[in-house]
Amino acid sequence: MADKYLGESIKKLGFGLMRLPMKDQEIDMEQTKKMVDAFMEKGFTYFDTAYVYIGGKSEVALKEAVVDRYPRESFQCASKLPMFDIKKPEDMAPIFQESLDRAGLSYYDFYLLHALNRDTAKKSEELDAWGFVQKMKEEGKIKHIGFSFHDTADVLEDILTKHPEAEFVQLQINYADWESDSVQSRLCYEAARRHNVPVIIMEPVKGGSLAAMTPEVQKLFKDANPEMSIPSWAVRYCASLDGIVTVLSGMSDEAQLNDNVSYMADFKPLSDSEREVVGKAVEILNSIPTIPCTGCKYCVDGCPQKINIPSVFTAMNKLTLYNNPESSKGEYGRVTKDGGKASDCIQCGNCESHCPQHIEIIETLKKAAAQFE
């Protein structure tokens, strides 16, 4: 019998409080409470928030929907220290205390250094963020310390080697990114396993992208099991991995929550034949022609309009691959919110003369403007 690992007894669906139902600019607390009740009723217990989610309102929603309404020992809460916003060591204690106060808690079960990558990992060393969370743990304000991660596997390997005190890591894992060169889901997962560090999974449905899918992939999944929703394949794929604490799903309405708990309440890992179906879905995704942009950014350097062309193309490719206009448009909105829209192109041709892939950038930007603006 293998030693029990941290989080083994936690059910494999966690409630991500990042995309809660909204009414105007405020969280729809009535619907959120109903969702929490349905979630807890089925034996699920893990809630994930962060200092920055929904402008700080997410931690408050955790208090109102969970902490004030359920016995403390009946659930686990996770929050995160925003390393990207921390400027000096003195910033950490007040932010951490505010996180506790907003949620009405005396301790967090899981507390993370938020979104570590090569740069924020370095900053965490310089500001001794690890020493800070360790101290909070010694004071009983944190039960388990870890970090969420967005970078390549070699960076993760380095952090895990330097910090054996990390009790868990939160990784972006899904079947579309499993072999991705940029996200490196598999390589990151394997690094965590080598270090014997349990994994919390985020983005199992790739920010909603794997919930829609092209008609061909939808047919593949529905032929294999007409009863199962399209996103259920993505969540179960992740939950079938070994050494998982839980799989976080950012549920933004009752329908999403009810679907998730329906197949995760008595979770069964993917069978061999189901794995083959997912493999075929990935093959279909890989065969769909997309804009062959490698993100080298040579086009951006010479652009007088400062259009982030690779990011615009990422949004376009997302639409082609996953058939999810809402998610793709959201992506486009994020990358152009500070200017540099596709329609700003003045057709000077600078970008095309610098593109190693010989992409017809001007024409493709016109299509992006028509699609997203």
Side-chain angles (χ1 to χ4, degrees):
M1 176 75 184
D3 291 341
K4 276 183 83 69
Y5 68 87
L6 172 67
E8 186 176 3
S9 58
I10 293 173
K11 286 186 84 124
K12 299 306 162 209
L13 177 68
F15 197 147
L17 304 173
M18 185 169 83
R19 302 182 179 99
L20 291 172
M22 303 295 285
K23 256 189 188 164
D24 303 318
Q25 296 304 303
E26 294 302 321
I27 294 168
D28 180 346
M29 281 313 302
E30 201 174 317
Q31 191 178 169
T32 300
K33 284 175 184 173
K34 281 185 193 164
M35 290 163 70
V36 164
D37 293 345
F39 183 76
M40 297 279 280
E41 203 176 284
K42 292 287 188 187
F44 297 103
T45 58
Y46 190 102
F47 295 89
D48 171 85
T49 183
Y51 182 77
V52 295
Y53 288 173
I54 321 181
K57 294 173 185 171
S58 174
E59 289 175 334
V60 178
L62 173 69
K63 178 183 191 296
E64 288 184 32
V66 185
V67 178
D68 288 350
R69 300 170 66 240
Y70 286 93
R72 180 61 184 97
E73 66 282 359
S74 66
F75 56 85
Q76 300 89 27
C77 294
S79 195
K80 311 179 187 78
L81 188 66
M83 292 315 301
F84 36 83
D85 284 342
I86 305 277
K87 301 285 186 284
K88 51 190 189 300
E90 301 76 46
D91 294 344
M92 293 187 276
I95 284 177
F96 176 69
Q97 191 56 49
E98 191 179 352
S99 269
L100 282 175
D101 294 345
R102 280 175 182 168
L105 294 170
S106 58
Y107 67 90
Y108 274 106
D109 303 270
F110 292 76
Y111 195 72
L112 300 82
L113 300 183
H114 196 174
L116 292 196
N117 56 26
R118 201 177 296 273
D119 296 333
T120 46
K122 188 165 171 271
K123 193 200 237 184
S124 301
E125 302 292 340
E126 289 163 358
L127 302 179
D128 193 25
W130 288 98
F132 171 73
V133 291
Q134 190 72 41
K135 183 168 177 283
M136 292 303 100
K137 186 181 173 183
E138 284 159 13
E139 290 179 15
K141 294 175 180 175
I142 297 171
K143 298 287 185 203
H144 304 289
I145 58 178
F147 61 103
S148 62
F149 181 77
H150 294 276
D151 211 324
T152 49
D154 59 319
V155 180
L156 178 61
E157 183 73 45
D158 186 52
I159 297 171
L160 291 172
T161 303
K162 281 181 183 155
H163 293 286
E165 70 271 32
E167 297 172 82
F168 64 95
V169 60
Q170 188 162 307
L171 299 175
Q172 178 173 328
I173 294 179
N174 56 68
Y175 64 72
D177 289 325
W178 189 244
E179 296 296 354
S180 148
D181 291 337
S182 53
V183 179
Q184 299 190 351
S185 284
R186 176 177 63 80
L187 294 173
C188 288
Y189 170 72
E190 287 171 356
R193 297 297 290 155
R194 272 196 302 282
H195 286 266
N196 236 352
V197 174
V199 174
I200 294 168
I201 292 180
M202 59 181 158
E203 305 293 355
V205 193
K206 202 171 162 64
S209 292
L210 305 182
M213 308 303 283
T214 61
E216 192 182 353
V217 176
Q218 288 197 35
K219 184 179 184 316
L220 175 75
F221 285 141
K222 285 299 178 188
D223 286 351
N225 189 337
E227 301 300 308
M228 297 298 279
S229 67
I230 305 298
S232 72
W233 289 86
V235 175
R236 287 181 61 229
Y237 174 87
C238 292
S240 299
L241 293 166
D242 291 332
I244 300 300
V245 178
T246 196
V247 178
L248 298 175
S249 179
M251 298 174 269
S252 41
D253 58 44
E254 287 180 79
Q256 285 178 11
L257 182 121
N258 292 336
D259 178 49
N260 278 344
V261 300
S262 71
Y263 58 82
M264 288 302 289
D266 299 307
F267 165 66
K268 290 180 181 56
L270 290 181
S271 64
D272 289 345
S273 61
E274 286 175 319
R275 281 181 189 286
E276 280 175 29
V277 173
V278 173
K280 282 180 190 153
V282 173
E283 276 173 32
I284 294 169
L285 287 177
N286 291 341
S287 71
I288 295 170
T290 52
I291 304 160
C293 173
T294 62
C296 71
K297 294 201 168 175
Y298 295 160
C299 56
V300 180
D301 296 339
C303 176
Q305 300 299 85
K306 299 284 178 273
I307 301 168
N308 189 342
I309 297 164
S311 296
V312 172
F313 287 176
T314 298
M316 289 286 281
N317 283 339
K318 213 171 184 180
L319 182 64
T320 306
L321 287 171
Y322 306 117
N323 189 33
N324 191 331
E326 194 182 329
S327 173
S328 310
K329 195 168 185 176
E331 172 100 4
Y332 179 78
R334 279 192 295 281
V335 302
T336 59
K337 73 175 189 297
D338 298 323
K341 288 184 159 48
S343 58
D344 293 342
C345 173
I346 55 172
Q347 303 184 27
C348 66
N350 248 344
C351 52
E352 293 189 358
S353 66
H354 287 107
C355 179
Q357 311 305 320
H358 309 295
I359 299 167
E360 292 183 353
I361 295 175
I362 294 168
E363 280 309 306
T364 312
L365 286 175
K366 281 183 192 168
K367 287 178 190 163
Q371 178 67 48
F372 296 130
E373 291 179 28

